[in-house]
Amino acid sequence: MVTPPRSPREVGSGNDDVSGLTGDDEFDHELLVELALSVGAAVVWWLDLGTDRLGWKPGLDAVIGVPGEAHDVVRTRLAELIAPLTVAAKAAPAWQDFELEQSFETPAGRRWLHFRARVSTHGSARALVGVVADVTRRNVQQQELADLADRYRLLVDLAPEAIVVHEAGLLVYANPAAVQFVRARSESDLLGRPITDFVHPDSAPEMLRRISKLTEPGATSDPSDAVLVRFDGGTTDIESVSVRTTWEGRPAFQVIMRDVTEQKAAAAALRYQAALAAHVSDALIATTSDAVVTSWNRSAEKVYGRRAIEVIGRPIAEVVGAPLDPVEVLEAGGVVDAVHRSFDGGVLAMRVSAARMDDGYVLICADETARRRAEHHFTAVVAAIEEGVLVVGSTGLVESVNPAAERILGVRAQEVIGQPASLAELHDESGQPIAQADYSSAITRATGRAQHGRILRSLRPDGSHVWLSLSARALSPDGMLPSATVVSFTDITERRMIDSQLEHEATHDALTGLCNRTVTINRLSPAARTHRSGLTAVLFIDLDKFKVINDSLGHSTGDEVLRVVGTRLSRSARRGDVVGRLGGDEFTVIAYGVTGPDEATALADHVRAELNRPISVDGRRLHVDASVGIVLAEPGDPRGGADLLRDADLAMYQAKTRGRGRIAFFDVELRDSIQRRLQLEQDLRTAPLGDQLWLAYQPIVDLRTDRRTAVEGLLRWTHPRYGLISPGEFIPLAEESDLINIIGAHMLHTATREIADLAPDLELTVNLSARQLDDPWLVSAVRHATHKAGLDPSSLCLEITESALTRDPALAARTLAALRDLGVRLAIDDFGTGYSSLAQLLALPLDTLKIDRSFTAGLGRSDEAEAIVTSIIAMAHAVDMTVIAEGVEQVEQLEILRTLGCDQAQGFLLGRPVPLADL
């Protein structure tokens, strides 16, 4: 601590002693102590404001930069330095404080002094008392800190990587690269938004898991891949690193993101090498304008093997082991390649970028040693892989060829290097030659756009062809065009052959080799028919009785027959016609340019004639015929292929109903008829549930007593749309669609219940169809129906047509015997219309024989009809069977039947079918 003198006076001359203040009044001792403490290590000085005399304590000369000089020199320098304070103090009140910083040049550099003073009074005397301290070190440090902050801010702003900071999940900072990464207009578009808005949902969970592990300040995550969502709706593949940091004193996370889209698109080996390069850390170095190091980050320490404390203050060229002038780097475009040396003498391949700062430069030195080494490895990898690789320069000439490319293309490297990449002749998948401007390498060189997976055919020098799956990518990282490209390709010739075979199998029938249904439908589409003139005839061909051949001789014989049929159809069709197999024994012929129905009929007849020729299979001569449905379509017909096939199928069905081996044309009425039939079949499935089915009862009269002894239950259907449907229309539908058993059971239950409830004195007759005789549950259904209704089984008579008995006589006999065991009576209906033998009928347990109405109608008009009816009655009575005549509509017929001894009769003359309540 310096003790102030008692009164101000000038310093004596000729010695280094400094006198104290003169006079009787003593200045405040505590004043000088306070001033000295406020500036640290300081020297006291004073000025008498009345006499302008200066005084100072020893050591002042060294502080103000004139060490050892004479007192006059010291006084002059001090007066110059405090001149601003002197002017202000003379007009200031007592105890006014003053501060002043002054700088000056010395041989050792600029120095900074800090003056602090106060006006002090003692009596009438006024003095400016102060202290001075050298603050050069502090100012330099502050300036260096400010410069360092500016340099690092500039590094972040100029960094190609996107850098953001998020606090509590919200973005609080984004550098220009980050704004560009997400295609935003400015930083304001990002700040304040959740960081998850810019991370793909698939990447967000992993990102949140990663940052949750960063619990300590400075903690850093491993580099990881993620997908960034841009403002334009697109995505960018990035590699990111998260660092735990602070923002305005609060915990936050800094994320550094690198665009790795191109690396993701590269081949496996290239992606591996790119990943190595992406993880190499960069040395960040700041220098003065004279290229003296002022900042040296940890990566620089790691790359060069020198600590920051060892290099700061030394020339940059000295510490990197090679000439390095930031000015020359800037003049060369801002980026240069160089060879540096590490501390241990190791050679470093560096990529140096430079940027100018206010008073120096910032250098980014990227260590590419590993990348250069990786390039050598890459060369070895490319030489070993099975994929062909060509490097094409920006001029379009081949620069390198790997061994796989030589093998695939059938060339030698020395023959093609330096030659145009368009040397090989290429064709597209349709066989058309590709123009040189449309080669993948040419497109990529001109536009920079990558080409992926183009399928091409290349002509080898030996004249053979090879199919290639080819890709091309730009090699130039700066985006300059034209660009060097890497062309990679694989030999897919074998796969192409397999694909062609699979395509053929997918479009052709495996058994006959004909077009399948899919191709047939496509060839019938309106687009396929627009360029055809004339009518298009669609022949839908179905083989008659093919099932008999297949079932009796086996599927192998049936398959051989189908193959022969396919061959004959192909030969009988005209050139340009399409022949296909739709499945099973259904075929089609599509004939274009037909003039009309006559030509279509002639073609169908020709097809049938070819098919009618005997087919020899395993020593057997087989004969087949076909039913053909034909549709004629105008060029502008809007029907699709499936619709035309459907209509042709309807016509074929119509041909079969007219008798096999026929030809039928489709018309709208046929479609309406079929559609009605399909609608009725569909509605018939739900008719029993909707009370649409009901029973009408027709009386059966005993001709000896003229009394009604029985009724026949006849099923009726009242359709909600079409009204009353004839049994002749819906019963065949039920039999063909396997609904007859359900409907028959419904009819049996309804009839037995109604008769038991309303007319228990009458016997009930119910018809059974041929399909019901095949039902193994028929006997159980009859037993259940009579039991539930409380009807004696002997009151029930089941009618079976004569033709039904001929389907499977053995099965019919067993079923009828089981029904007879229940006590049910049995009748044969429509007798005389079938083909069964009389002996077979007599062997069955039948009770009643019903004469068909066709014989009854001839009574009174035909002697032959009367003779037949007489014989039937006599035969039936001979075996104790009751005879019922159907279709009695005239009195004359009734009298003749009585005369002939017929037992019972039914018909409109005796009563029409009506509901039971109206009977």
Side-chain angles (χ1 to χ4, degrees):
M1 182 180 295
V2 179
T3 302
R6 299 174 62 85
S7 62
R9 65 187 180 87
E10 290 188 358
V11 177
S13 62
N15 61 66
D16 295 332
D17 294 334
V18 181
S19 302
L21 294 172
T22 61
D24 297 333
D25 296 327
E26 185 181 73
F27 286 105
D28 190 349
H29 176 79
E30 293 183 358
L31 168 62
L32 293 178
V33 172
E34 179 183 347
L35 291 174
L37 290 175
S38 67
V39 295
V43 177
V44 178
W45 58 271
W46 57 89
L47 170 67
D48 189 324
L49 295 176
T51 64
D52 290 335
R53 289 196 304 168
L54 281 168
W56 59 84
K57 280 293 186 178
L60 180 69
D61 55 344
V63 172
I64 65 176
V66 288
E69 295 291 340
H71 292 170
D72 289 344
V73 175
V74 175
R75 182 176 64 252
T76 300
R77 172 63 65 84
L78 178 60
E80 291 174 353
L81 294 172
I82 67 171
L85 297 178
T86 303
V87 174
K90 287 185 176 183
W95 308 107
Q96 175 71 46
D97 287 332
F98 298 96
E99 283 192 76
L100 175 67
E101 281 200 2
Q102 292 281 41
S103 65
F104 56 90
E105 292 291 340
T106 70
R110 178 167 292 277
R111 296 178 59 185
W112 290 85
L113 302 179
H114 184 78
F115 292 88
R116 182 158 186 180
R118 181 180 293 174
V119 177
S120 177
T121 60
H122 286 277
S124 61
R126 283 168 51 87
L128 181 62
V129 181
V131 294
V132 59
D134 188 339
V135 294
T136 300
R137 182 185 177 96
R138 185 191 69 187
N139 277 19
V140 170
Q141 289 178 340
Q142 289 178 345
Q143 185 62 39
E144 288 178 347
L145 288 175
D147 291 346
L148 184 61
D150 287 343
R151 287 194 292 271
Y152 275 100
R153 176 185 56 77
L154 186 59
L155 286 175
V156 172
D157 286 345
L158 294 178
E161 293 84 1
I163 301 175
V164 298
V165 178
H166 60 93
E167 176 199 342
L170 302 180
L171 290 172
V172 295
Y173 170 78
N175 74 341
V179 176
Q180 183 179 1
F181 266 37
V182 296
R183 306 294 194 270
R185 292 171 298 182
S186 65
E187 183 185 14
S188 60
D189 290 341
L190 279 68
L191 300 186
R193 293 185 59 174
I195 190 172
T196 51
D197 284 359
F198 305 98
V199 180
H200 194 277
D202 293 342
S203 300
E206 176 61 21
M207 179 199 73
L208 298 174
R209 184 193 65 78
R210 230 175 25 250
I211 64 176
S212 68
K213 294 183 178 181
L214 305 180
T215 57
E216 299 295 332
T220 305
S221 70
D222 292 331
S224 60
D225 293 338
V227 177
L228 205 63
V229 178
R230 305 194 303 258
F231 273 81
D232 61 5
T235 59
T236 300
D237 291 327
I238 62 167
E239 179 186 77
S240 67
V241 175
S242 298
V243 182
R244 178 68 180 267
T245 183
T246 59
W247 183 264
E248 297 181 352
R250 298 182 296 275
F253 297 93
Q254 177 175 302
V255 184
I256 302 97
M257 294 169 284
R258 186 189 303 259
D259 187 345
V260 294
T261 303
E262 290 300 324
Q263 292 92 323
K264 288 288 185 181
L270 193 57
R271 288 200 302 269
Y272 173 72
Q273 303 303 333
L276 290 179
H279 285 38
V280 174
S281 300
D282 298 338
L284 305 179
I285 306 170
T287 72
T288 65
S289 58
D290 298 329
V292 174
V293 177
T294 59
S295 176
W296 186 268
N297 73 344
R298 291 184 178 180
S299 294
E301 291 182 333
K302 181 178 179 181
V303 170
Y304 292 100
R306 298 176 185 271
R307 293 185 300 164
I309 193 172
E310 299 172 355
V311 301
I312 291 178
R314 296 172 60 183
I316 182 68
E318 181 181 322
V319 296
V320 301
L324 178 54
D325 185 350
V327 176
E328 293 181 357
V329 176
L330 289 173
E331 291 176 350
V335 181
V336 297
D337 291 328
V339 176
H340 294 174
R341 295 279 180 176
S342 63
F343 176 74
D344 59 4
V347 177
L348 302 173
M350 307 298 292
R351 188 170 182 83
V352 182
S353 303
R356 194 183 304 278
M357 294 186 64
D358 293 338
D359 58 350
Y361 303 93
V362 59
L363 300 172
I364 303 175
C365 299
D367 184 0
E368 295 191 341
T369 305
R371 185 180 65 80
R372 300 285 176 83
R373 187 182 303 115
E375 288 177 352
H376 292 295
H377 292 170
F378 172 73
T379 302
V381 170
V382 170
I385 62 176
E386 292 296 321
E387 185 176 21
V389 178
L390 297 178
V391 176
V392 181
S394 58
T395 61
L397 301 180
V398 177
E399 295 182 351
S400 68
V401 182
N402 77 335
E406 293 181 291
R407 184 185 69 255
I408 294 172
L409 299 179
V411 298
R412 291 188 298 174
Q414 59 266 32
E415 295 173 350
V416 296
I417 291 178
Q419 297 297 317
S422 58
L423 183 63
E425 182 181 326
L426 299 180
H427 295 78
D428 61 18
E429 292 187 86
S430 65
Q432 295 298 317
I434 298 176
Q436 294 183 1
D438 293 331
Y439 279 36
S440 297
S441 59
I443 294 174
T444 301
R445 280 193 302 108
T447 66
R449 296 195 304 269
Q451 303 289 303
H452 298 292
R454 288 186 67 182
I455 306 300
L456 306 169
R457 189 185 68 187
S458 175
L459 178 64
R460 287 172 165 157
D462 62 3
S464 63
H465 289 88
V466 59
W467 283 97
L468 306 174
S469 175
L470 184 145
S471 300
R473 302 173 184 83
L475 283 177
S476 301
D478 52 10
M480 296 294 292
L481 298 175
S483 170
T485 61
V486 56
V487 180
S488 59
F489 47 87
T490 55
D491 183 352
I492 61 168
T493 305
E494 182 177 356
R495 191 184 77 191
R496 183 79 179 185
M497 294 174 62
I498 295 174
D499 290 345
S500 298
Q501 180 64 29
L502 292 176
E503 180 181 0
H504 183 273
E505 292 176 357
T507 57
H508 290 76
D509 176 54
L511 180 63
T512 63
L514 301 178
C515 295
N516 61 12
R517 177 181 287 272
T518 301
V519 174
T520 302
I521 291 174
N522 289 338
R523 299 291 178 87
L524 284 174
S525 66
R529 289 184 281 111
T530 52
H531 65 283
R532 303 283 186 174
S533 61
L535 300 173
T536 298
V538 185
L539 278 61
F540 196 105
I541 303 163
D542 184 89
L543 303 183
D544 294 333
K545 298 183 179 181
F546 173 75
K547 188 176 185 301
V548 175
I549 296 175
N550 215 32
D551 293 344
S552 60
L553 301 180
H555 291 288
S556 60
T557 300
D559 289 348
E560 182 60 29
V561 169
L562 294 176
R563 278 191 286 266
V564 172
V565 168
T567 301
R568 291 184 179 180
L569 286 175
S570 298
R571 292 176 179 173
S572 60
R574 306 171 310 168
R575 175 172 296 189
D577 291 349
V578 177
V579 180
R581 181 187 176 208
L582 304 177
D585 60 344
E586 295 177 340
F587 296 83
T588 184
V589 175
I590 304 173
Y592 300 108
V594 175
T595 57
D598 291 343
E599 186 176 355
T601 301
L603 177 60
D605 288 336
H606 177 61
V607 167
R608 287 190 56 247
E610 284 294 310
L611 298 182
N612 282 336
R613 291 191 294 110
I615 299 175
S616 297
V617 180
D618 295 334
R620 295 185 177 89
R621 289 173 61 85
L622 305 177
H623 295 268
V624 296
D625 201 347
S627 299
V628 183
I630 304 176
V631 170
L632 296 178
E634 299 280 352
D637 195 313
R639 286 177 291 180
D643 295 332
L644 289 174
L645 276 184
R646 178 202 61 203
D647 292 344
D649 189 9
L650 295 178
M652 184 277 298
Y653 180 82
Q654 182 70 7
K656 280 192 177 295
T657 61
R658 296 174 182 173
R660 301 183 186 277
R662 301 294 182 90
I663 298 172
F665 280 86
F666 171 82
D667 56 33
V668 176
E669 292 181 359
L670 174 60
R671 179 193 295 165
D672 294 342
S673 173
I674 298 298
Q675 288 178 346
R676 171 185 168 93
R677 180 184 179 89
L678 294 175
Q679 184 66 49
L680 289 178
E681 180 180 336
Q682 179 179 349
D683 295 343
L684 190 57
R685 297 180 182 276
T686 58
L689 301 177
D691 293 332
Q692 299 174 20
L693 298 178
W694 54 280
L695 285 168
Y697 297 92
Q698 186 174 29
I700 299 174
V701 176
D702 189 322
L703 296 183
R704 293 185 296 273
T705 63
D706 288 334
R707 292 180 61 252
R708 180 177 57 196
T709 59
V711 291
E712 180 179 1
L714 301 171
L715 190 61
R716 296 291 184 264
W717 181 16
T718 303
H719 191 277
R721 175 181 174 185
Y722 299 119
L724 191 63
I725 307 298
S726 167
E729 184 176 6
F730 74 82
I731 292 299
L733 283 179
E735 292 181 334
E736 293 174 8
S737 59
D738 291 331
L739 291 172
I740 191 63
N741 292 330
I742 298 174
I743 294 174
H746 173 76
M747 173 184 177
L748 189 61
H749 280 270
T750 302
T752 54
R753 185 185 70 252
E754 289 182 347
I755 289 297
D757 291 343
L758 300 178
D761 57 325
L762 294 176
E763 295 178 352
L764 173 65
T765 298
V766 177
N767 291 289
L768 287 182
S769 75
R771 297 294 294 272
Q772 284 179 280
L773 282 180
D774 298 337
D775 184 8
W777 301 100
L778 173 63
V779 178
S780 298
V782 173
R783 181 189 299 112
H784 181 261
T786 54
H787 176 74
K788 185 175 181 180
L791 184 70
D792 189 336
S794 62
S795 297
L796 176 64
C797 179
L798 298 178
E799 295 184 1
I800 304 97
T801 62
E802 184 180 355
S803 59
L805 298 175
T806 63
R807 286 166 52 91
D808 189 342
L811 176 62
R814 291 194 299 271
T815 303
L816 295 180
L819 291 172
R820 170 57 70 84
D821 291 342
L822 290 180
V824 174
R825 294 180 298 107
L826 302 172
I828 182 168
D829 195 11
D830 300 336
F831 183 78
T833 61
Y835 301 95
S836 59
S837 67
L838 183 61
Q840 182 184 23
L841 292 178
L842 294 177
L844 296 175
L846 300 173
D847 300 288
T848 302
L849 185 150
K850 299 188 74 172
I851 300 174
D852 185 69
R853 64 180 64 249
S854 61
F855 299 123
T856 304
L859 295 177
R861 295 181 297 175
S862 169
D863 293 338
E864 292 180 357
E866 185 172 335
I868 292 172
V869 171
T870 301
S871 299
I872 293 174
I873 295 173
M875 178 199 69
H877 286 170
V879 292
D880 295 327
M881 294 176 64
T882 301
V883 179
I884 302 176
E886 294 183 298
V888 178
E889 298 180 359
Q890 298 175 7
V891 174
E892 182 181 4
Q893 295 169 350
L894 184 63
E895 293 304 324
I896 292 174
L897 289 172
R898 279 199 180 99
T899 303
L900 297 178
C902 184
D903 302 308
Q904 298 176 359
Q906 68 180 104
F908 288 174
L909 179 66
L910 303 173
R912 292 179 176 272
V914 294
L916 185 62
D918 300 333
L919 189 63

